């Protein structure tokens, strides 16, 4: 008697090319409004046609920057504003989400189902969501003190 394997679920394999592509697009979006001169921990606002982003550079090194990006939601009493901690790699021209909302360290792959109900490709999904946030349609950059 042969045992059928059609009920066995395939293990998720991340698509590295798609992930690097979304990180590359995020880098290109961020470069449009990332200033050359800035002070650490002095947030500024990026305003666009579809809303605004609050941006704060937390760390700056020779080849990378650590940036916190928040999408303020007016009258957002019922849910938290989207927030992500993004590492910008200038040498590789990539921007990768390190943390998002309540996820303090994104794993490349999650077993599914899991206790927190993260998708198998949660890291890709969060970076794709950042891409959507960055598409607000930049009109101007306003510094805040």
């Amino acid at each position: 008697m042969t045992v059928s394997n059609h009920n066995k679920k395939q293990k998720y394999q991340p698509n590295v090319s798609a992930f690097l592509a979304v990180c590359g697009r995020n880098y290109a979006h961020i470069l449009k409004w990332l200033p050359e001169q800035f002070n650490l921990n002095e947030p500024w606002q990026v305003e666009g046609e579809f809303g605004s982003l609050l941006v704060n550079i937390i760390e700056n090194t020779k080849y990378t920057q650590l940036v916190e990006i928040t999408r303020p939601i007016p009258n957002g009493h019922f849910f938290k504003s989207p927030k992500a901690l993004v590492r910008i790699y200038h040498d590789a021209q990539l921007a990768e989400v390190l943390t998002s909302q309540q996820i303090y360290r994104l794993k490349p792959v999650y077993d599914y189902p899991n206790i927190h109900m993260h998708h198998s490709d949660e890291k890709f999904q969060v970076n794709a969501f950042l891409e959507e946030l960055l598409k607000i349609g930049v009109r101007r950059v306003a510094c805040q003190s």
Side-chain angles (χ1 to χ4, degrees):
M1 182 171 175
T2 60
V3 177
S4 135
N5 285 335
H6 65 84
N7 288 339
K8 193 172 185 178
K9 189 175 178 183
Q10 290 279 346
K11 184 175 179 186
Y12 170 73
Q13 292 286 23
N15 184 338
V16 176
S17 296
F19 178 74
L20 292 175
V22 77
C23 290
R25 289 190 302 270
N26 287 344
Y27 179 80
H29 287 298
I30 289 172
L31 273 190
K32 291 177 186 176
W33 44 258
L34 191 66
E36 289 185 25
Q37 299 293 322
F38 58 85
N39 293 320
L40 290 179
N41 294 310
E42 278 190 19
W44 72 90
Q45 194 162 333
V46 177
E47 298 199 16
E49 184 178 352
F50 303 108
S52 62
L53 297 174
L54 191 59
V55 181
N56 186 18
I57 297 180
I58 297 170
E59 179 182 291
N60 187 47
T61 65
K62 186 174 181 179
Y63 298 109
T64 67
Q65 290 173 314
L66 188 59
V67 179
E68 183 181 66
I69 300 173
T70 306
R71 169 71 158 86
I73 308 273
N75 301 321
H77 303 291
F78 300 106
F79 50 90
K80 291 183 176 183
S81 296
K83 181 196 276 189
L85 197 59
V86 179
R87 173 73 67 191
I88 300 171
Y89 302 95
H90 293 290
D91 52 347
Q93 297 184 345
L94 299 171
E96 175 188 17
V97 176
L98 300 180
T99 67
S100 175
Q101 300 304 96
Q102 296 85 9
I103 307 172
Y104 296 106
R105 184 173 170 252
L106 285 164
K107 294 180 185 177
V109 176
Y110 288 89
D111 291 330
Y112 191 82
N114 57 66
I115 194 165
H116 300 291
M117 294 307 294
H118 297 312
H119 292 278
S120 297
D121 64 342
E122 189 78 19
K123 188 168 190 150
F124 178 84
Q125 295 291 333
V126 168
N127 280 278
F129 180 68
L130 175 66
E131 181 179 20
E132 293 303 314
L133 283 179
L134 295 174
K135 289 180 181 178
I136 63 171
V138 175
R139 297 269 189 229
R140 67 181 187 275
V141 176
C143 292
Q144 284 186 323
S145 307

